[in-house]
Amino acid sequence: MLGKLGAKGIAGVLMLLAGIAIIALKNLIIAAGMALVVLGVVLTAWGLVSSLMANFGLGGMMGGGGGPGGFQ
């Protein structure tokens, strides 16, 4: 999985985790809420991309299926 992210993707994930860690040093509840918001955005984007790829007949490439009709 890390190979698919590339250097910029790994740097982005590390920066995201570092930012949440810095917030957690001040207030753990706010950091947990921000982590849930980020996770929600990622899952929403994953669902949109999976659905779009399924519409083009590439539904199996994201690992989630989720497109119209699913896997046959």
Side-chain angles (χ1 to χ4, degrees), residues 16 19-20 23-24 27-41:
L16 177 69
I20 291 176
I23 294 169
N27 191 326
L28 191 59
I29 294 175
I30 292 175
M34 290 192 65
L36 288 174
V37 168
V38 169
L39 182 62
V41 169

Side-chain angles (χ1 to χ4, degrees), residues 13-58:
V13 169
L14 291 176
M15 290 175 64
L16 177 69
L17 292 175
I20 291 176
I22 290 170
I23 294 169
L25 290 174
K26 186 68 177 171
N27 191 326
L28 191 59
I29 294 175
I30 292 175
M34 290 192 65
L36 288 174
V37 168
V38 169
L39 182 62
V41 169
V42 167
L43 290 175
T44 301
W46 187 312
L48 289 172
V49 170
S50 294
S51 177
L52 181 66
M53 290 180 74
N55 286 335
F56 287 114
L58 303 170

